[in-house]
């Protein structure tokens, strides 16, 4: 029988070794599945690494995926510390993309590019923030569980996107908007074909700012106290209402910004599939980073590499899409399972006769 | 040397280190069959740590444990349970929303998939009957009083077949009557041959209930003595290494202006029942007003109404003439109202944050900790260090979560933080609960000092001796009302007792 004992303290070696072993174990599990599918695992993994880091171009594509993850996970690090479990980044991302795209599609054509882009980003951020305020208000006024509220709002957001795409924003019956005009495209920073865009700087800035908020500011302190003990927070005179709302606004706003930045710079068109599942991947990034937004930058890049490399082997090795999913999820599964080993001492015992 | 056969348990050379501190330093401890053995020591001496080692929660760095002549390796509470050890922790470990039955069988290995509640209930009742108390097996934990919850903890350990029972400060949360009932249960167990380890800071209890006493000081063993051969004073000296005053000096001072005035207050408790019943009370500067009463008669609610943590349905609260009825904790803080709550980990402190974070909880908006939007953690550390030094708090690492402090040191930190704010009105709820004799003396002295400085102190306590020792007047609370106020200089204790029981009002 397995037995778990909580550790007083995690030794440093474990903190480094466990994630490495977890990834290796995940790769091994992935290999087994690949062998069944008659794919050579070594070649496949080689292709993933090549696909993610192989050249300046592929690496820049990895970063394209990392940008929204960095933005979203930074915000999540803050709200999760406050124990506001926002899993609605997906919905906030979508609403952000819709709001920003509205200007891109229907804004005055004469507006200068910097102004238009700034307004689009602001509108996207506001849209995401608005979508996050809803569950925050439900929570502070009626104590509605935010996990359920944010999850359900994800579906609503998806269907709002459907509504626009199949409605007036689609073109000739296709769920696809017209292409964004050049003025509405967020600048890319490397020569074509790289799609890496200045959103990268937004992401890095967001991570640093959120880190400062958590570690250095009054608000960060209030959020930590509130997350740990609401009654002590009230005695300390912390305004619970304000703190929850502000944190939700920051988190939702960053998700919204991720949505509009990705849409405007990478897709350059609003469509049904705008990669809103980054909203879920970012949750994993935030947790694996121990809710530290700077660490989350590194984790986001790794998760993005997995995803980018995954695309690559689909194309290069013609493996079915499902296999890529299996590899990704095996690695994630092992990483999360590894958390148990870092927090608990696990021993194997024989069950004593009763 | 004692004969091996009658020794239930021997712990030898137990050493347990934590970052920054050796909590147990080669400690030896022996427990006989059928004895009540007290573990005594100052706050942070390492009593709970030693017992947690025995309960398998901590694994010792050095040393060995022998139970009934056999060496054992205790790596989890489950191991300890299998060797007949059951521990009742300083903070209870019950699940509030579950019933007594469910809590009792929680974590029990032998239970199959299907739970026969009826037979468990019968066994619970049988155990209770054996020790002459009652408990409703189907009641939910949150419906029980603290004393009843403690009995559930006892039943839990007995149900699992404990032969060695560890009680970590069981009486800290009990009224004197409840404590007496507990001692009855313990004596009964002892006569059955069970061995009991008992931790308490109340020397009179130690003297009356235990056969032997082992004293620890700063992680080291001072010695084990027969209770019959020592006096309270000698025990205190073994524990602290110096003589303690058991008597406090109370200066005669001029009473100041009225600071707190509560008029016709009405408020609900957490279960929505009216807990304050048109209560009125007034406290002056330079006065300690004791509030006596059996727990659950509205004392907590009264404190919470004055500190802005509970909503008044009707009535008024004024502090120094300013109406602060239903004001926010923030407003009250600037009015100079400070609070030392009984529930220190629930209201007063944030267990998972560091000493530094906890020390500035009420001050982080002020200079020098606050610089606009930012917090100057350097200044915060300096501030925390100041409190630690001035109040002699044992903090191994000030950046470690506060939950690793010993119970008494948490209380000292809380007290230090509140008093450092120069209150006008100080509300202290069981401020010496869980403190060792030295620290208790220190707290009482501090309260008296505050009074001498003109602060109005509202001292809520179930410990009548404490109230009589430090308070100037005592208000007796019964069913959400003050049934009488008496002067502590010429007081009739029997009279107070009757008032607490709701039998009579105050003498005219
Ligand atoms: N998990 C832990 N991590 C770090 N330090 C700890 C831990 N547990 C206890 N300590 C430290 O070990 C020392 C002894 O603590 P312990 O709780 O055993 O004291 P105690 O004798 O029970 O005191 P009290 O009477 O106040 O309850 C304290 O200084 C405490 O801060
Ligand atoms: Mg203790």
């Amino acid at each position: 029988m397995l037995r778990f004992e909580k550790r007083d303290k995690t030794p440093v070696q474990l903190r480094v070794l466990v994630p490495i072993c977890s990834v290796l174990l995940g790769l091994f599990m992935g290999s087994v599945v690949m062998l069944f599918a008659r794919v050579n695992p070594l070649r496949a993994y080689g292709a993933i690494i090549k696909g993610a880091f192989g050249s300046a171009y592929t690496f820049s594509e990895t970063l394209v995926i990392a940008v929204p993850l960095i933005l979203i996970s930074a915000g999540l690090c803050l709200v999760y510390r406050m124990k506001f479990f926002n899993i609605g980044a997906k919905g906030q991302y979508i609403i952000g993309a819709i709001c920003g795209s509205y200007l891109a599609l229907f804004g005055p054509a004469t507006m200068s590019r910097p102004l238009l882009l700034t307004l689009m980003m602001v509108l996207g951020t506001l849209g995401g923030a608005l979508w996050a305020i809803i569950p925050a208000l439900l929570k502070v006024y009626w104590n509605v569980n935010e996990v359920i509220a944010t999850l359900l709002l994800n579906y609503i957001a998806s269907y709002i996107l459907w509504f626009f795409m199949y409605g007036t924003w689609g073109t000739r019956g296709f769920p696809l908007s017209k292409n964004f005009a050049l003025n509405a495209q967020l600048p890319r920073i490397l020569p074509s074909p790289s799609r890496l865009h200045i959103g990268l700087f937004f992401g890095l800035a967001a991570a640093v700012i959120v880190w400062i908020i958590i570690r250095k500011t009054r608000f960060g302190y209030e959020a930590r106290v509130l997350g740990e003990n609401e009654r002590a927070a009230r005695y300390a005179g912390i305004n619970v209402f304000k703190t929850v709302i502000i944190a939700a606004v920051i988190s939702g706003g960053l998700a919204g910004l991720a949505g509009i930045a990705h849409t405007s710079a990478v897709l350059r068109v609003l469509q049904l599939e705008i990669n809103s599942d980054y909203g879920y991947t970012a949750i994993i990034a935030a947790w694996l980073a121990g809710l530290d937004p700077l660490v989350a930058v590194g984790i986001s890049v790794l998760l993005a590499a997995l995803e980018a490399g995954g695309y690559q082997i689909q194309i290069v090795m013609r493996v079915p899409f499902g296999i890529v999913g299996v590899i990704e999820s095996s690695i994630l599964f092992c990483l999360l399972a590894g958390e148990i080993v870092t927090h608990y001492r696990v021993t194997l015992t024989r069950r004593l006769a009763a | 040397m004692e004969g091996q056969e009658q020794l239930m348990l021997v712990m030898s050379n137990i050493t347990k280190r934590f970052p920054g501190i050796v909590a147990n330093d080669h400690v030896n401890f022996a427990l006989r069959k059928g004895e009540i053995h007290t573990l005594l020591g100052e706050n942070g001496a390492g009593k709970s740590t030693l017992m947690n080692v025995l309960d398998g929660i901590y694994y010792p760095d050095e040393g060995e444990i022998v139970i009934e002549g056999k060496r054992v390796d205790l790596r989890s509470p489950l191991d300890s349970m299998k060797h007949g050890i059951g521990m009742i922790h300083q903070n209870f470990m019950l699940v509030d929303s579950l019933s007594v039955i469910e809590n009792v069988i929680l974590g029990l290995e032998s239970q199959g998939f299907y739970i026969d509640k009826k037979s468990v209930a019968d066994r619970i009742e049988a155990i209770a009957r054996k020790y002459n108390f009652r408990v409703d097996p189907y009641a939910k934990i949150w419906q029980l009083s603290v004393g009843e919850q403690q009995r559930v903890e006892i039943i839990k350990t007995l149900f699992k077949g404990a032969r060695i029972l560890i009680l970590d400060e069981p009486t800290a949360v009990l009224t004197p009557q409840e404590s007496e009932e507990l001692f009855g249960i313990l004596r009964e167990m002892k006569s059955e041959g069970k061995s009991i380890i008992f931790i308490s800071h109340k020397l009179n209890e130690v003297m009356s209930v235990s056969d032997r006493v082992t004293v620890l000081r700063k992680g080291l063993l001072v010695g084990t003595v027969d209770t019959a051969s020592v006096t309270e004073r000698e025990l205190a000296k073994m524990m602290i290494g110096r003589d303690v005053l058991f008597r406090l000096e109370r200066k005669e001072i001029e009473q100041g202006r009225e600071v707190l005035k509560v008029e016709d207050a009405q408020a609900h408790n957490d279960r929505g029942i009216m807990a304050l019943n048109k209560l009125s009370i007034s406290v002056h500067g330079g006065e300690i007003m004791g509030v006596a009463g059996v727990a659950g008669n509205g004392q907590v609610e009264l404190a919470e109404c004055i500190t802005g943590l509970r909503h008044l349905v009707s009535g008024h609260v004024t502090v120094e003439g300013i109406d602060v009825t239903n004001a926010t904790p923030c407003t009250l803080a600037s009015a100079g109202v400070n609070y030392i709550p009984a529930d220190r980990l629930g209201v007063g402190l944030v267990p998972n944050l560091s000493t530094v974070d906890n020390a500035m909880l009420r001050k982080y908006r002020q200079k020098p900790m606050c610089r606009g939007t930012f917090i100057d953690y350097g200044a915060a550390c300096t501030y925390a260090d100041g409190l630690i030094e001035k109040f002699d708090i044992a903090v191994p690492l000030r950046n470690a979560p506060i939950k690793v402090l010993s119970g008494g040191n948490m209380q000292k930190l809380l007290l230090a933080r509140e008093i450092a704010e120069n209150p006008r009105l100080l509300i202290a709820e069981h401020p010496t609960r869980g403190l060792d004799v030295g620290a208790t003396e220190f707290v009482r002295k501090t309260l008296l000092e505050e009074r001498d400085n003109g602060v109005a102190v509202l001292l809520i306590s179930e410990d009548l001796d404490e109230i009589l020792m430090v308070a100037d007047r005592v208000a007796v609370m019964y069913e959400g009302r003050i049934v009488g106020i008496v002067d502590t200089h010429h007081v009739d204790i029997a009279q107070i007792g009757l008032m607490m029981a709701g039998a009579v009002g105050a003498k005219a």
Side-chain angles (χ1 to χ4, degrees):
Chain A
M1 195 186 58
L2 280 181
R3 215 171 51 186
F4 301 91
E5 288 171 64
K6 190 130 175 86
R7 289 179 194 278
D8 308 339
K9 220 181 144 223
T10 310
V12 184
Q13 313 90 282
L14 268 187
R15 249 180 251 180
V16 181
L17 271 178
V18 168
I20 294 176
C21 293
S22 304
V23 171
L24 290 178
L25 190 68
L27 291 177
F28 175 76
M29 279 167 58
S31 321
V32 173
V33 178
M34 278 192 266
L35 286 175
F36 275 111
R38 298 176 190 286
V39 177
N40 180 343
L42 288 180
R43 270 191 59 213
Y45 287 136
I48 289 184
I49 294 176
K50 241 178 98 200
F53 301 109
S55 68
Y57 165 69
T58 50
F59 184 56
S60 82
E61 281 302 292
T62 297
L63 289 182
V64 166
I65 300 172
V67 167
L69 295 182
I70 293 171
L71 276 166
I72 301 170
S73 61
L76 292 182
C77 286
L78 179 68
V79 276
Y80 287 172
R81 270 176 194 261
M82 219 180 61
K83 305 250 157 78
F84 182 81
F85 295 113
N86 172 18
I87 55 168
K90 178 183 168 123
Q92 293 142 18
Y93 178 99
I94 294 174
I95 298 296
I98 294 176
C99 291
S101 300
Y102 172 78
L103 263 192
L105 299 174
F106 306 106
T110 52
M111 205 184 277
S112 77
R113 190 174 184 192
L115 183 64
L116 178 65
L117 283 174
T118 309
L119 287 179
M120 279 168 62
M121 297 303 128
V122 169
L123 214 60
T125 307
L126 288 179
L130 179 83
W131 212 240
I133 284 184
I134 299 170
L137 288 176
L138 289 173
K139 167 114 177 167
V140 291
Y141 277 122
W142 293 294
N143 205 16
V144 174
N145 185 317
E146 73 277 12
V147 174
I148 294 172
T150 51
L151 184 66
L152 293 180
L153 281 167
N154 286 347
Y155 291 99
I156 299 180
S158 293
Y159 288 118
I160 291 179
L161 181 61
W162 274 50
F163 171 78
F164 283 119
M165 295 288 61
Y166 282 111
T168 49
W169 291 20
T171 38
R172 277 175 279 120
F174 286 103
L176 196 70
S177 77
K178 64 178 198 230
N179 283 330
F180 285 14
L182 180 66
N183 268 0
Q185 296 174 3
L186 202 62
R188 295 176 176 173
I189 48 184
L190 292 177
S192 177
S194 162
R195 298 182 295 171
L196 186 61
H197 53 98
I198 60 168
L200 179 66
F201 304 119
F202 300 168
L204 295 178
V208 171
I209 291 172
V210 172
W211 187 86
I212 292 175
I213 289 178
I214 292 174
R215 295 296 177 96
K216 303 280 176 203
T217 65
R218 258 175 64 170
F219 177 75
Y221 176 76
E222 289 172 342
R224 278 188 297 145
V225 171
L226 183 57
E228 294 292 347
N229 185 343
E230 187 184 332
R231 297 184 55 181
R234 286 181 43 215
Y235 177 59
I238 292 170
N239 187 332
V240 176
F241 180 89
K242 200 171 106 189
T243 313
V244 171
I245 299 287
I246 293 180
V249 163
I250 293 176
S251 153
L254 287 175
L257 178 61
I260 183 58
H262 189 77
T263 307
S264 146
V266 179
L267 308 175
R268 294 177 171 176
V269 60
L270 192 65
Q271 56 193 25
L272 287 182
E273 172 52 37
I274 52 172
N275 306 103
S276 58
D277 280 348
Y278 292 153
Y280 289 137
T281 313
I283 297 177
I284 299 166
W287 277 115
L288 287 179
L291 303 186
D292 182 320
L294 294 184
V295 179
V297 172
I299 305 275
S300 295
V301 173
L302 285 181
L303 292 179
L306 214 55
E307 181 122 359
Y311 288 141
Q312 201 62 21
I313 62 168
Q314 268 179 71
I315 297 163
V316 178
M317 301 184 61
R318 298 178 189 286
V319 296
F321 179 72
I323 294 283
V324 179
V326 168
I327 299 170
E328 284 179 11
S329 31
S330 317
I331 292 178
L332 282 181
F333 177 81
C334 290
L335 273 175
L336 289 174
E339 291 271 287
I340 292 182
V341 188
T342 40
H343 294 305
Y344 294 86
R345 191 182 293 123
V346 184
T347 41
L348 199 60
T349 53
R350 255 182 309 147
R351 192 179 176 135
L352 295 179
Chain B
M1 245 357 266
E2 295 131 307
Q4 280 294 323
E5 71 284 352
Q6 59 166 349
L7 282 183
M8 190 70 197
L9 159 84
V10 180
M11 298 176 85
S12 33
N13 276 314
I14 301 292
T15 299
K16 179 72 195 171
R17 298 184 191 89
F18 289 118
I21 193 165
V22 186
N24 289 150
D25 192 352
H26 297 94
V27 173
N28 295 312
F29 178 80
L31 182 68
R32 291 182 188 147
K33 219 168 233 147
E35 77 164 337
I36 301 183
H37 194 137
T38 297
L39 206 52
L40 199 62
E42 285 178 285
N43 295 126
K47 305 177 294 292
S48 299
T49 304
L50 188 66
M51 290 303 107
N52 281 331
V53 164
L54 192 53
D55 196 34
I57 290 179
Y58 295 145
Y59 193 75
D61 300 318
E62 287 171 42
E64 63 168 28
I65 301 173
V66 174
I67 294 178
E68 293 185 307
K70 272 203 310 257
R71 198 177 157 180
V72 294
D73 193 33
L74 305 173
R75 286 183 175 269
S76 74
L78 214 60
D79 282 351
S80 298
M81 195 180 98
K82 284 179 187 141
H83 289 99
I85 297 167
M87 177 157 173
I88 294 161
H89 290 266
Q90 218 163 344
N91 313 311
F92 295 160
M93 306 214 168
L94 297 170
V95 184
D96 270 357
S97 55
L98 295 186
S99 71
V100 173
I101 298 179
E102 288 159 333
N103 269 282
V104 166
I105 56 182
L106 205 66
L108 217 59
E109 258 199 339
S110 56
Q111 213 68 35
F113 182 69
Y114 174 74
I115 295 165
D116 180 4
K117 286 201 175 171
K118 181 77 182 70
S119 79
V120 175
D122 289 345
R123 279 175 65 194
I124 290 174
E125 278 174 331
I127 293 173
R129 217 168 11 229
K130 191 157 146 204
Y131 297 106
N132 301 318
F133 63 88
R134 296 177 52 82
V135 62
D136 172 9
Y138 296 95
K140 299 266 191 278
I141 297 302
W142 62 266
Q143 297 170 319
L144 304 179
S145 75
V146 180
E148 288 170 323
Q149 292 187 8
Q150 189 169 63
R151 285 177 198 165
V152 176
E153 286 275 19
I154 294 177
I155 289 180
K156 219 168 101 180
T157 54
L158 294 176
F159 196 91
K160 293 171 184 169
R163 285 165 300 147
I164 299 175
L165 202 70
I166 308 165
L167 296 109
D168 195 349
E169 297 194 32
T171 57
V173 291
L174 299 186
T175 61
Q177 299 91 306
E178 284 175 319
S179 300
E180 270 316 311
E181 285 163 27
L182 173 69
F183 296 152
I185 297 173
L186 296 186
R187 291 197 183 99
E188 181 67 35
M189 288 179 180
K190 169 181 145 180
S191 68
E192 263 175 26
K194 293 197 193 298
S195 308
I196 293 157
I197 306 174
F198 172 74
I199 300 180
S200 171
H201 291 293
K202 298 178 188 164
L203 291 174
N204 56 340
E205 291 178 357
V206 173
M207 296 301 288
S208 85
V209 80
S210 55
D211 303 302
R212 292 196 301 159
V213 181
T214 291
V215 182
L216 297 180
R217 191 197 305 156
K218 298 196 160 58
L220 290 161
L221 176 73
V222 179
T224 302
V225 291
D226 284 324
T227 318
S229 68
V230 288
T231 63
E232 279 186 32
R233 196 164 277 265
E234 282 163 352
L235 280 181
K237 195 165 172 185
M238 273 177 88
M239 201 167 114
I240 331 193
R242 66 173 170 90
D243 267 315
V244 267
L245 300 170
F246 280 103
R247 205 154 270 294
L248 287 166
E249 224 180 301
R250 201 160 54 176
K251 275 190 248 166
E252 283 307 320
I253 63 155
E254 190 75 6
Q255 212 182 60
R257 289 193 295 146
E258 182 177 65
V259 173
L260 171 71
K261 186 167 175 188
V262 179
E263 287 170 301
D264 295 329
Q266 283 194 303
H268 295 288
N269 64 12
D270 287 340
R271 296 178 208 167
I273 300 162
M274 199 57 89
L276 293 186
N277 219 333
K278 298 237 169 219
L279 178 142
S280 299
I281 193 171
S282 116
V283 189
H284 292 257
E287 160 181 74
I288 297 183
M289 170 70 92
V291 176
V294 178
N297 274 290
Q299 294 97 320
V300 180
E301 288 78 9
L302 171 64
E304 289 179 347
C305 281
I306 304 173
T307 48
L309 294 173
R310 188 172 292 276
H311 195 80
L312 276 177
V313 180
S314 72
H316 290 282
V317 180
T318 38
V319 171
E320 300 213 295
I322 303 162
D323 188 354
V324 290
T325 313
N326 290 328
T328 62
C330 233
T331 317
L332 285 158
S334 42
V337 179
N338 282 79
Y339 182 36
I340 300 166
D343 183 7
R344 54 181 90 115
L345 285 179
V347 183
L349 300 168
V350 189
N352 284 327
L353 295 189
S354 70
T355 305
V356 175
D357 284 344
N358 272 287
M360 65 171 172
L361 191 68
R362 297 259 295 181
K363 279 232 161 151
Y364 73 93
R365 283 190 208 82
Q366 296 163 25
K367 286 194 166 176
M369 266 77 86
C370 175
R371 297 240 176 106
T373 328
F374 292 93
I375 283 182
D376 181 345
Y377 279 93
C381 285
T382 316
Y383 182 70
D385 285 343
L387 295 184
I388 290 170
E389 190 171 335
K390 182 153 171 244
F391 288 79
D392 192 25
I393 309 168
V395 178
L397 291 174
R398 62 179 184 200
N399 282 322
I402 194 151
K403 66 179 174 199
V404 308
L405 294 188
S406 80
N409 282 301
M410 286 181 204
Q411 182 70 344
K412 276 186 168 179
L413 178 71
L414 183 56
L415 183 87
R417 184 184 80 199
E418 297 302 316
I419 285 180
E421 282 180 46
N422 296 322
R424 296 291 309 127
L425 170 67
L426 185 62
I427 298 161
E429 227 172 61
H430 313 298
T432 58
R433 179 181 276 180
L435 294 195
D436 63 50
V437 280
T440 299
E441 178 196 328
F442 173 80
V443 168
R444 290 178 182 161
K445 254 184 160 151
T446 313
L447 289 181
L448 281 172
E449 262 169 42
E450 291 297 301
R451 156 193 181 263
D452 296 346
N453 293 334
V455 176
V457 181
L458 192 67
L459 171 66
I460 297 172
S461 176
E462 275 153 30
D463 184 350
L464 259 187
D465 295 332
E466 171 163 282
I467 288 187
L468 295 180
M469 209 179 292
V470 298
D472 299 289
R473 291 193 293 161
V474 49
V476 182
M477 240 180 127
Y478 180 72
E479 296 203 328
R481 225 191 311 239
I482 303 289
V483 289
I485 294 184
V486 283
D487 199 313
T488 54
H489 291 291
H490 21 77
V491 67
D492 178 0
I493 296 193
Q495 171 85 5
I496 295 187
L498 286 174
M499 281 159 67
M500 279 168 67
V504 286
K507 277 187 291 194

